[in-house]
Amino acid sequence: MLTLCLDTSHKYLSVSIIKDQRILASYDELCFKKQSESVFPVILKVVQDAKIKKEEIDSVCISIGPGSYTGLRIALTIAKVMCSMKRLDLYVISTLKLYANNMKNTYVMLDARGNRIYHALYDQGKVIIEEHVTTIDELNLDRSYHLVGDASLLGLEDQYECISECFLNTKADWEKVDSIHTLIPSYLKSDQEYIKS
Amino acid sequence: MSVYILALETSCDETACSVIKDGKEVLSNIVSSQINIHSQFGGVIPEVASRIHVENISLVIQEALEKAEVTMDEVAGIAVTVGPGLIGSLHVGVMAAKTIAWLYDKPLIPIHHIVGHIYANKIVDDIQFPLLSLVVSGGHSELVFMKDDWSFKVLGTTQDDAVGEAYDKVARLLHLPYPGGPQIDRLAKQGKPHYTLKTPKTEGAYDFSFSGLKSSVLQLMERLKKQKEEIVEADIAYSFQEVALNMLVDKTMLAVEQYKPKHVVLAGGVAANSRLRSLITEKMESYPNVKLTIPPLSCCTDNAAMIGVSGYMAYQKGLFADLSIGANPWIDIESS
Ligand SMILES: [Zn+2]
């Protein structure tokens, strides 16, 4: 299996080619607001670094959210178009679960703006607290656990694992998508709510 | 050998894909409209529009290729609207087009949305130059002069709201549903010249202004209410429409006088307005040597066929973009 992995759901642009249990080539950089311009030049470079032809890619895996709405649509649009037209397998993983990197007792918190965060707790891929939107004030963290994401919101240092490695380490949790055309990101905020606010 | 262009358009609230043969023949023209969703809220909600685009995009592309019975091997280039429009909506189409261009090693052809509206006329008629185009829609009101093929000069533009926007706002004042254009057009047919609304002033001779007109309607209604007079909605619709459309048509005629085009074309969603069609036809009778084209309704509203027709022109000229291109809501037509 030769998989193109993409994460554009938050602050990073992560592109990697994973063959079975190995990363052939990868790119992981902070990328503020420039993901849509950068993503293809980066894909081109990563495919070249992996010494493969793009025609050999047989599957795509993306993070499906929650995260930045605009960002989520970048990887999703690429994946939907690519997999439907070339008949490739499409896999998704929750952005929070991806970032938890299959580690033991790991909280993930991502800035959802307006003093809110996307939050979840995992234990080696097992969901302990489901992903949800909450406020920082409502957090009650066990200090002995790992904390991944925008920890600076708590006055700590931001903590991120290498996202390409996260894709590799969470491979058992990738979910295969049956209906590519109808796939939508997990925004954690419905159209209806969006309109009311 | 025939040249096939695959075209995408997602600048506002229609997710559209089309295959065009030799720059003229529409092999498929799939439009997935969001109008039912947005009409619940009285207008387009940008975030909701973006969400629906990403939901529909891959299916719309597949349908366009299937309907056209063209394979990607046969396609020469991928044309896409890069602006103007809603940034989040544009993003989805541009990203999809870049993906296809990369996957199949095809040139990526960026197209200005207004260029698309003007060239839509090519689907139904031969176009001649110099050409004058009145582009009117929910997002735009412009007079564009083309000395030659693929040369664009904006003579005038709206200084505030687009004409379609003004229709929507006035429709809301009259408690008519969204989109307001067809509603006001229909209601105005029953109206009489009963109220007087002033034509807003503009700086440039070819510029438009509509927000003042909307305010005049509001002030008129408030005055009538205060004086406990009956508000005849059909008469308000009539007066608003006459002022708005006469402003458009008068300035078009002024440009016909000065720029002496051989061909005048209407473009954009508001070109579907029946009163605008009759008004411009009437005024153009004084210029029997100038050809007038009013495209059928299906060509006026946003679609990808018009992007494909323009894309073919740009393809012939080698106007390609690389894969680092982004959506550009502020793109200038004169640099096309
Ligand atoms: Zn338009």
Side-chain angles (χ1 to χ4, degrees), chain B residues 5-249:
Chain B
I5 301 290
L6 179 75
L8 294 168
E9 152 65 42
T10 64
S11 66
C12 187
D13 59 347
E14 322 276 6
T15 318
C17 186
S18 170
V19 179
I20 297 293
K21 183 182 174 186
D22 296 329
K24 231 180 131 64
E25 197 183 328
V26 182
L27 299 186
S28 62
N29 189 15
I30 308 295
V31 181
S32 173
S33 176
Q34 307 179 359
I35 206 155
N36 290 334
I37 295 143
H38 296 296
S39 61
Q40 296 171 45
F41 311 110
V44 177
I45 314 264
E47 171 61 19
V48 175
S50 304
R51 289 181 177 201
I52 303 173
H53 283 307
V54 82
E55 195 172 340
N56 289 339
I57 188 78
S58 59
L59 188 59
V60 164
I61 295 167
Q62 183 180 314
E63 283 178 2
L65 284 165
E66 281 173 1
K67 177 101 192 292
E69 295 181 28
V70 166
T71 65
M72 279 310 300
D73 289 340
E74 296 169 281
V75 168
I78 318 298
V80 63
T81 308
V82 288
L86 301 170
I87 178 79
S89 291
L90 289 165
H91 263 315
V92 175
V94 171
M95 197 54 65
K98 290 201 284 192
T99 306
I100 304 170
W102 172 64
L103 274 181
Y104 295 94
D105 299 305
K106 307 288 181 185
L108 179 67
I109 310 164
I111 297 296
H112 191 290
H113 183 75
I114 298 296
V115 170
H117 272 307
I118 297 171
Y119 276 92
N121 282 281
K122 243 185 147 162
I123 297 168
V124 292
D125 217 340
D126 283 325
I127 59 176
Q128 290 166 24
F129 302 94
L131 177 142
L132 179 69
S133 180
L134 176 63
V135 186
V136 277
S137 74
H140 316 282
S141 315
E142 292 184 23
L143 263 177
V144 180
F145 179 68
M146 295 172 67
K147 196 162 171 279
D148 291 303
D149 214 351
W150 211 264
S151 114
F152 308 94
K153 184 177 159 65
V154 178
L155 302 183
T157 184
T158 181
Q159 296 176 330
D160 35 65
D161 294 346
V163 58
E165 227 175 328
Y167 266 87
D168 287 337
K169 288 179 177 173
V170 171
R172 217 171 302 154
L173 294 176
L174 298 175
H175 310 291
L176 298 169
Y178 172 89
Q183 300 288 341
I184 289 183
D185 194 14
R186 185 182 46 75
L187 190 60
K189 287 198 175 95
Q190 304 152 23
K192 291 179 296 295
H194 176 190
Y195 303 119
T196 316
L197 295 167
K198 261 197 285 173
T199 301
K201 293 236 174 334
T202 56
E203 263 172 54
Y206 298 113
D207 287 333
F208 308 110
S209 167
F210 295 99
S211 86
L213 183 55
K214 180 214 70 187
S215 306
S216 304
V217 170
L218 183 63
Q219 283 157 10
L220 170 67
M221 289 177 74
E222 278 173 353
R223 203 180 63 228
L224 293 171
K225 218 188 210 165
K226 221 182 259 167
Q227 296 169 344
K228 303 215 170 8
E229 279 183 50
E230 190 199 356
I231 297 176
V232 188
E233 273 138 5
D235 292 350
I236 292 178
Y238 175 90
S239 297
F240 162 75
Q241 170 149 294
E242 286 305 305
V243 174
L245 299 183
N246 273 293
M247 175 164 34
L248 292 170
V249 174

Side-chain angles (χ1 to χ4, degrees), chain A residues 6-14 31 35 62-76 93-96 98-99 110-111 118 160 163 167 185-186:
Chain A
L6 296 172
D7 172 41
T8 56
S9 58
H10 195 46
K11 297 194 284 198
Y12 284 83
L13 171 59
S14 173
C31 189
Q35 287 158 328
I62 61 166
S63 50
I64 196 71
S68 133
Y69 299 160
T70 306
L72 289 172
R73 287 191 279 265
I74 295 172
L76 184 61
I93 182 165
S94 145
T95 300
L96 303 187
L98 174 72
Y99 289 4
L110 302 184
D111 191 354
Y118 300 120
Y160 281 93
I163 295 168
F167 271 109
S186 87

